[in-house]
Structure formats: C-alpha cells, structure tokens
Amino acid sequence: MVLLLQLAFQSLGVVYGDLGTSPLYVFNNTFPHGIRDREDVIGALSLIIYSLTLIPLLKYVFIVCKANDNGQGGTFALYSLLCRHAKVNTIPNQHRTDEELTTYSRSSALHEHPCAAKTKRWLEKNASRKNALLILVLVGTCMVIGDGILTPAISVLSAAGGIKLDHPKMSNDVVVVVAVIILVALFSMQHYGTDKVGWLFAPVVLLWFLLIGGIGLFNIWKYDSSVLRAFSPVYIYRYFKRGGRDGWTSLGGIMLSITGTEALFADLAHFPVSAVQLAFTTVVFPCLLLAYSGQAAYLMKNQDHVVNAFYRSIPDSIYWPVFVVATLAAIVASQATISATFSITKQALALGCFPRVKVVHTSKKFLGQIYVPDINWILMLLCIAVTAGFKNQSQIANAYGTAVVVVMLVTTLLTTLIMILVWHCHWILAVVFTGLSLLVECTYFSAVLFKVDQGGWVPLVIAAAFLLIMYVWHYGTVKRYEFEMHSKVSMAWILGLGPSLGLVRVPGIGLVYTELASGVPRIFSHFITNLPAIHSVVVFVCVKYLPVYTVPEEERFLIKRIGPKNFHMFRCVARYGYKDLHKKDDEFEKKLFDNLFLFVRLESMMEECSDSDEYSLYGQQTERSRDFLLRDNAHIAASNTDLTISSVDSIVQVQSPTPANHTLESSGQTSNHTDLDELEYLSNCRDAGVVHILGNTVVRANRNSRIYKKIAVDYIYAFLRKICREHSVIFNVPHESLLNVGQIFYV
C-alpha cells in the first residue's frame, strides 16, 4: 500500500500536469465575448463537471488505461497490441519465433469470441483496411505532435498573463516576449532530460492542485455557494436552450477542461494503472471540481472579470506565490507533453513510420526517457511561431481543442478494436462504449468545426504536414521491403557457386546488413558479381523492430546457418521493441559474435545427439528445420518444427557430402574436433578484421507509375532519405570498417 501511494504521488508530476493547468484558461475561452446571464455560468460549470466525469474519469482512467501494451500508452501502443492479435502489420517481416518472446503477450485464440473472429478476418482480408487502420493511427499520432506544440504555447502564455493583471497598462507584447523566453529556455534544457529534475515535478503539481482546490473552496464559501446546483444535469439543457448557437460553439472552450487527458494515457509508461487511478480519484478530480466551482462562484458576483478569471479569483494575499506555482506547473505540463511527443516519435520510427532521426537516452534508470533533437527544435520553432503569431489565448485555444478532440476520436476507435480483438468483450459492450464516447466527442468536434477559421486550422495544417511525411516514408519503406523480398537470391544459385562462392575468400568477417529477416538479399549478389573477393565468413545481419514494447537482452538474437558448414555463412536477426534503442547497445558487435560462437557449439551438440545421417540447410523446399533461439547466458530454445517465414526461405534435405567435400561424422570425438576447428576458424577470422557492408539504396518509381506515385517516391521520399540519418550512424559502424554498396530499386 505504501508503494502504491508513493507511485500515485509520483504520477502527479508526470501524468496530470497538462490536465491540471486547464483552469488557467477554460472560462476565458468559454465566454470570449463576456457573460450575458448569471445562469450561463452555472450551465458552463455543469458541462465542465460532466465532461470531467465522462471523459477523463470513466473513459480514460477506468477503461482506456487498461488497454495498455504492458504498461505503455498512446496510439502506437494500441496499434502494436492490435498487430499481435491480428495480421494488420503492413510490413510482413514477422517470424513465428517472435511470438515465443516473453514480452509478446497475447490472449489465447482457443476461446476467441465469434465477434472477435469475424472482426479479425474482416481486417486481415483486405490490404486497404490495414492501410486505413494505419492512417487512423498516424492521424492520432500527428495530432499528439500538434498537442506537443500547442500545450506549451497556451500553458506558458496563460501563466505569464498573470503579470499583466498587476500591471494593467502593460502591453500584451511584453507578456508574449516573457512567454517566448520561457519556451526557449524550456526547449533548450531538453537535452539534459527530466531524470535530474523529475523529482521536483510531483511536489510542484501536488502543491498546485492543493492551491487551486483550496482557493476554489474559499471562493465558494465567500462568493456564492449556489453554484453547486451545477451538479444537476438539467442546467446543461437550459444552457443550450438559452444560448442557441453561441452556447453550442462555447463547447470549444468547455472542452479545454479535459485537455491533457490524452497525455495522461501517453505518459502511462512508468506507473501501474492502479496508481494513476488512485491519484486521479483522490487528488486530481476533486481539486479540479473545486477549482472550477470556485471560479464559477467568483464570476457569479464579478461577471465582467471573465478575462483572466483564474488570476482575478485569487485572494490578494497569496497572488504572487500562486503566480510562481502556476508558472512552474505550466512548465511541468509542457514538459510532460514534449516527453510524450518524443516517446511517440520513437515508437513511429521503430515501426517504420517516421524518418530516421537521432534518439538519445537521457536516463540510465528509465528506458522511456529519451530526447529527439530534431523534433525538439522543430517543436520549439513551431511553438514560438504559434505564440508570437496569435499573441492571445483565444485562437491558440481553438487550435488546441481541434487537436485534442481528434486524438480522442482515434483513441475511441482503437479501444473499440481492443475490446473486441484483445479483451473478447461481447459486441454489445463494445457498441455501448463506442456509442457513448462518440456521442460526447462528436458533439465537441461539431463545436470545434465552427472555429476552424479562428485558429482551429493550425493543428490541421501541422497534422497534414506530418501525416504526409509519415505516410510517404512508410509507403517507401514497404515498397522497398517488397522489392527486396521479390528479388531475393535463389539458394540454388548460391549452392551452385560452391564453398568459395566462385570468388577468393579473404580472411575476415563480412557483416552484410539487410532488412530481410529471411533469405539472401539482392545486395549480396550485386556485391559478389562486381567484386572478385568476399570474406571468409559472411553474416547477414537484420535489425528488426517488433510490435512489442521491449525485447529482453537474453532473447534478442536469432542465429541461423545458411548452406553447409564449409560455406561459413550465417544469418543473425537482432530483434528490438519500440521502446528499445539500438544506438544504446554499444556492445552490439561483441554480443553478436558471442551468440554466433554459442550457436556453433550448440549446433555441434545437437548433431552429436542426432541419429540421422542427413544434413539440413536453408534452400528452396522443406520437410523439417532446426532453429536456435539464443540467450546471452547460454539459454536456448530449440525447435524441430518448420519455423520458416515463407516457402522461399525454407529448408531442403541433402545427403551428407562426401569426405572429399566436408564430412560430418557421428562420433563425438570427431564432432568435437570439427566444432573446435570452426570456433577457432571464426575467432581467427574475427581477429583478421570485421567489415560492415551496407546497401546505399536509391529508390525510384517505375516509368509507368502514376504521377502521384512518382512525386511521392522520386521527390518526397528521396528528399526524406537524403536528410535523415545514415544507417551507418544508427548502427554505430566505425567509418574505417564501412563498405557501401550502391544499388537502385524500381518500385
């Protein structure tokens, strides 16, 4: 219980900062033209109360937060969870052994509900439905990125606006300059990470909630306790009946009271759901209700003070301390949203939906604390542009509302699929959840549409730009992968070359990097047909990201042999989750060779135990296979079933070669001798030098392609590949050991 309370306290600083700073600007944007009737204040408060109850409390805290991927939240976490329960991944690089990972948790298909089976078949049947699901996820992701731009802008600008209240003659430009200075400082400090100052976040946010709750309670007692009538939903009906279209469009301001709810889910990573639920129900929810009720009570007596209602409702004796805490809380809220943007960018990058950018781990303790420099500076420039361009809360609030409601709609649709495919809920429960959520969120969305021309267009433009970048990058990645799959080298051709591969085998090990997890890539045939020599040992290395949040170190590498032993060719698949960082794996090459040597020893042990005098190698047709899943500490899972990815990368039976070629004897002594010889051979080759062979691929659209495809592939995708990070940098390859092989793919 003590640990749960501690985690609930810590979650305040990470999860609830954005939601907690909403009282700074809600009433101001709900009544931008002033309050016409005192009853409107009660109606608006009633809408706020029931919005907080239905969306953050019931939907997110008690339902959506349970739809996490092993504790990870956000739209891509939901998507990865769906990818494990249905074949909706658009890049077909999955292997059956991936499902044996300890983090690859999925519900059993034995008791699958008929509705889940039908939905699964419907999604898997058509490629366009898979693309539609991906686009839905990308739209939600782009809106979260837009949220990362707008949250710092409106939070810091609203907090800085408190200066002007004490100095009425001060120009609004001064407030904007102060806000911009704070924003520049905030984004410039991102590379230090939140690990060193994160311990301050929870006390600041807790103090903030206690202050706004206490001030709200004081204002209810001092000004007008009749505002508590707002707990009756009848005042919502009267509000709309009295206000007409103006009352309907004011929902755009009301909706700001639930902004930060999506950040609540996106920042779920480091806390159990029970801690998040405890913090919300005991601290966040009651303090927010008191804060809004207190402001409403103040406005009942001071209707002309709706502008800066929060600061005007603060007692004079504690004004400046509250101003300082408000500014700090706004910074914490901004930090939480920026961190969520970094996290979701990393997830998109890992799943092939974002150009390769630099990702830096800022904490040795927490896997999820990262810094993405390119995204950080783009966010800063756009955030400053929005703050300095609009100069007021109203238009930024309209933009903010548009971004938030779209993310909520996306989360509702994805959670519905989770309820059917993962939880196996009855279809009636899924319909009830979806219907109620869409009823509330579409109501807000209709109100937000009225304000598209008043600033609401900003997140739409930002999201459209990021959506174009992300979808084109993913489209190019898929087309390149499909081209490589269809142009794989025939194993019969490799075998026909003989052990020397028709070339001079020079001492050393060649690591050939490929995106294929099966088969021999086209880059290899291109290499050996243009150069007269190849290394004595060739290892095809595939770094593959899976739809899981992490892959344990001991389960990371999957080693296979390609061809007979005297070919000295292997495949190594290094598997990562979307939270893992390959660049952080400084000893990648050492771990790869450790697992390779372990594979050779274990393979020899398996041969000693085998009564068969047949030898299996990776070729064209299959009857049985042998796969080794290696673990760092000599843990191994062996399978005697067919674990191939496709019929192209399968296993063929061949009679044992004659003694003149490469004899495999059944005696333990000879086998051990062969084992030691190969291990010594590999060790000598490693000492001779390791060369990293990467494909420098140029992707072009076919001449008969449509004009939009040529624009997407030849210009947009080509430009993105030109400005993104090189593979050699991502793989941490020493420049003196790098060999690039140029090739052109026509897709």
Side-chain angles (χ1 to χ4, degrees):
M1 186 63 185
V2 175
L3 178 61
L4 182 63
L5 290 173
Q6 183 180 357
L7 290 171
F9 168 69
Q10 292 174 353
S11 70
L12 289 172
V14 177
V15 176
Y16 293 113
D18 192 6
L19 188 64
T21 53
S22 296
L24 286 168
Y25 42 76
V26 170
F27 277 108
N28 183 18
N29 292 284
T30 303
F31 302 108
H33 306 297
I35 301 172
R36 292 178 297 183
D37 192 323
R38 293 174 75 250
E39 291 296 307
D40 287 346
V41 177
I42 297 179
L45 177 61
S46 185
L47 278 167
I48 292 171
I49 290 171
Y50 284 97
S51 295
L52 284 170
T53 303
L54 292 174
I55 302 298
L57 180 64
L58 296 181
K59 178 189 171 183
Y60 275 85
V61 172
F62 286 104
I63 298 177
V64 175
C65 281
K66 292 183 178 179
N68 60 81
D69 181 17
N70 290 285
Q72 308 298 316
T75 51
F76 263 107
L78 294 177
Y79 181 64
S80 69
L81 194 58
L82 289 172
C83 286
R84 297 206 299 274
H85 289 80
K87 296 177 181 178
V88 294
N89 198 343
T90 52
I91 301 180
N93 64 347
Q94 298 296 302
H95 193 289
R96 290 182 211 175
T97 52
D98 297 337
E99 299 179 12
E100 297 172 7
L101 292 169
T102 54
T103 53
Y104 202 99
S105 58
R106 56 185 297 180
S107 56
S108 175
L110 295 176
H111 306 289
E112 193 172 50
H113 197 276
C115 180
K118 290 179 181 179
T119 305
K120 183 178 177 180
R121 287 195 299 269
W122 183 81
L123 281 173
E124 295 175 348
K125 189 176 181 180
N126 198 317
S128 61
R129 291 166 192 163
K130 298 179 185 179
N131 282 325
L133 180 62
L134 176 67
I135 291 173
L136 180 70
V137 173
L138 293 182
V139 168
T141 303
C142 294
M143 286 299 178
V144 172
I145 295 174
D147 195 9
I149 296 167
L150 296 169
T151 297
I154 192 169
S155 299
V156 173
L157 187 61
S158 299
I163 302 174
K164 192 176 179 181
L165 191 63
D166 197 55
H167 301 82
K169 296 182 179 179
M170 181 183 293
S171 171
N172 190 56
D173 292 338
V174 176
V175 177
V176 172
V177 170
V178 172
V180 169
I181 291 173
I182 294 174
L183 289 171
V184 171
L186 174 64
F187 282 102
S188 299
M189 297 292 287
Q190 289 301 311
H191 68 280
Y192 292 110
T194 58
D195 192 27
K196 296 179 181 178
V197 295
W199 60 275
L200 282 172
F201 288 178
V204 167
V205 176
L206 178 61
L207 179 60
W208 167 252
F209 277 120
L210 294 177
L211 278 174
I212 62 175
I215 292 170
L217 191 62
F218 173 78
N219 286 337
I220 293 171
W221 170 78
K222 180 179 180 181
Y223 293 104
D224 193 345
S225 60
S226 67
V227 294
L228 298 179
R229 291 178 295 162
F231 282 88
S232 171
V234 70
Y235 288 95
I236 297 176
Y237 169 75
R238 294 177 182 175
Y239 178 77
F240 286 131
K241 184 179 180 180
R242 187 170 51 252
R245 176 174 174 174
D246 289 341
W248 190 265
T249 56
S250 70
L251 283 174
I254 299 291
M255 204 204 68
L256 296 176
S257 64
I258 56 176
T259 56
T261 307
E262 189 61 34
L264 176 159
F265 181 49
D267 288 324
L268 194 62
H270 301 302
F271 305 100
V273 174
S274 56
V276 172
Q277 292 173 338
L278 181 63
F280 189 85
T281 52
T282 58
V283 178
V284 179
F285 188 63
C287 287
L288 285 176
L289 292 183
L290 287 173
Y292 288 117
S293 299
Q295 286 189 49
Y298 176 80
L299 291 174
M300 293 286 282
K301 301 294 184 181
N302 304 275
Q303 297 178 34
D304 56 335
H305 287 178
V306 69
V307 178
N308 283 326
F310 173 78
Y311 280 116
R312 289 178 181 273
S313 65
I314 299 173
D316 294 337
S317 58
I318 59 170
Y319 180 84
W320 287 111
V322 173
F323 170 77
V324 172
V325 176
T327 305
L328 292 175
I331 292 173
V332 172
S334 303
Q335 178 60 57
T337 312
I338 295 168
S339 298
T341 306
F342 290 160
S343 178
I344 206 165
T345 301
K346 172 65 175 68
Q347 293 176 20
L349 191 154
L351 295 175
C353 296
F354 204 86
R356 297 185 299 270
V357 292
K358 184 179 182 181
V359 180
V360 181
H361 263 279
T362 58
S363 172
K364 295 180 180 179
K365 299 178 182 178
F366 301 108
L367 185 65
Q369 291 190 6
I370 58 174
Y371 166 63
V372 186
D374 299 329
I375 296 298
N376 182 66
W377 302 124
I378 291 173
L379 289 181
M380 187 189 77
L381 292 175
L382 291 175
C383 189
I384 291 173
V386 168
T387 305
F390 286 143
K391 297 183 180 180
N392 65 79
Q393 298 177 22
S394 180
Q395 289 183 311
I396 299 177
N398 294 337
Y400 194 19
T402 305
V404 170
V405 73
V406 172
V407 177
M408 288 182 177
L409 288 169
V410 170
T411 302
T412 296
L413 297 176
L414 292 177
T415 305
T416 302
L417 290 175
I418 295 291
M419 293 177 72
I420 296 172
L421 295 176
V422 182
W423 296 346
H424 297 162
C425 294
H426 196 281
W427 65 270
I428 294 178
L429 290 176
V431 169
V432 170
F433 168 79
T434 308
L436 291 177
S437 298
L438 291 180
L439 178 65
V440 176
E441 290 159 6
C442 287
T443 301
Y444 280 123
F445 186 63
S446 64
V448 165
L449 289 177
F450 285 107
K451 298 187 176 183
V452 169
D453 61 335
Q454 302 171 32
W457 56 271
V458 172
L460 299 179
V461 172
I462 293 172
F466 276 99
L467 180 62
L468 178 66
I469 291 171
M470 295 173 75
Y471 188 76
V472 167
W473 181 265
H474 182 75
Y475 177 80
T477 301
V478 170
K479 289 299 179 184
R480 191 174 77 244
Y481 184 85
E482 290 176 350
F483 184 90
E484 290 203 58
M485 281 290 293
H486 292 127
S487 60
K488 288 193 295 188
V489 179
S490 167
M491 200 62 214
W493 182 74
I494 295 290
L495 292 174
L497 296 176
S500 67
L501 300 177
L503 304 169
V504 177
R505 301 294 292 265
V506 297
I509 297 180
L511 300 181
V512 182
Y513 288 84
T514 174
E515 295 185 8
L516 295 181
S518 62
V520 178
R522 183 174 181 265
I523 181 180
F524 184 68
S525 64
H526 186 68
F527 180 84
I528 65 177
T529 53
N530 287 277
L531 290 175
I534 190 66
H535 299 89
S536 300
V537 178
V538 177
V539 182
F540 297 100
V541 181
C542 171
V543 176
K544 181 173 71 170
Y545 284 91
L546 302 176
V548 295
Y549 74 102
T550 187
V551 175
E553 285 283 344
E554 63 272 14
E555 300 179 72
R556 177 143 295 157
F557 292 95
L558 186 68
I559 308 288
K560 299 179 182 180
R561 184 186 293 277
I562 301 178
K565 280 191 174 182
N566 56 346
F567 276 57
H568 300 300
M569 295 173 64
F570 303 88
R571 176 184 299 112
C572 171
V573 180
R575 301 172 297 181
Y576 291 83
Y578 56 77
K579 278 286 185 180
D580 295 328
L581 190 64
H582 176 60
K583 184 66 186 288
K584 190 173 182 287
D585 202 350
D586 296 327
E587 298 183 348
F588 176 78
E589 185 179 307
K590 179 182 180 298
K591 292 176 182 177
L592 188 154
F593 286 123
D594 288 345
N595 281 272
L596 180 60
F597 294 158
L598 179 60
F599 170 83
V600 172
R601 289 195 295 270
L602 292 171
E603 184 187 45
S604 179
M605 291 168 58
M606 294 294 289
E607 287 174 357
E608 289 179 34
C609 300
S610 175
D611 294 328
S612 173
D613 51 351
E614 294 178 339
Y615 183 68
S616 295
L617 57 97
Y618 290 77
Q620 291 287 344
Q621 309 257 326
T622 182
E623 298 217 357
R624 66 193 175 112
S625 72
R626 186 180 299 144
D627 237 324
F628 295 102
L629 177 63
L630 300 181
R631 301 171 186 264
D632 277 353
N633 298 321
H635 297 298
I636 179 169
S639 173
N640 291 323
T641 58
D642 184 7
L643 297 179
T644 56
I645 300 172
S646 66
S647 60
V648 178
D649 181 36
S650 52
I651 299 178
V652 64
Q653 283 188 328
V654 200
Q655 295 297 324
S656 296
T658 61
N661 292 329
H662 192 78
T663 304
L664 294 176
E665 303 193 29
S666 59
S667 71
Q669 181 180 358
T670 306
S671 180
N672 284 335
H673 178 69
T674 305
D675 176 28
L676 293 173
D677 283 349
E678 185 169 21
L679 285 174
E680 185 179 356
Y681 181 76
L682 290 173
S683 181
N684 291 336
C685 289
R686 181 184 180 184
D687 294 339
V690 178
V691 175
H692 301 258
I693 304 170
L694 278 74
N696 190 5
T697 308
V698 176
V699 181
R700 291 283 182 266
N702 287 320
R703 292 183 179 179
N704 57 350
S705 300
R706 296 180 182 273
I707 184 66
Y708 62 83
K709 182 177 178 180
K710 289 183 177 180
I711 293 174
V713 175
D714 293 349
Y715 295 97
I716 302 177
Y717 183 69
F719 174 73
L720 292 174
R721 279 179 62 86
K722 187 177 180 180
I723 63 173
C724 73
R725 305 193 85 204
E726 295 289 340
H727 270 117
S728 58
V729 178
I730 294 176
F731 293 142
N732 204 15
V733 176
H735 188 71
E736 62 274 11
S737 302
L738 175 64
L739 179 62
N740 274 314
V741 180
Q743 52 186 345
I744 299 178
F745 289 174
Y746 288 97
V747 298

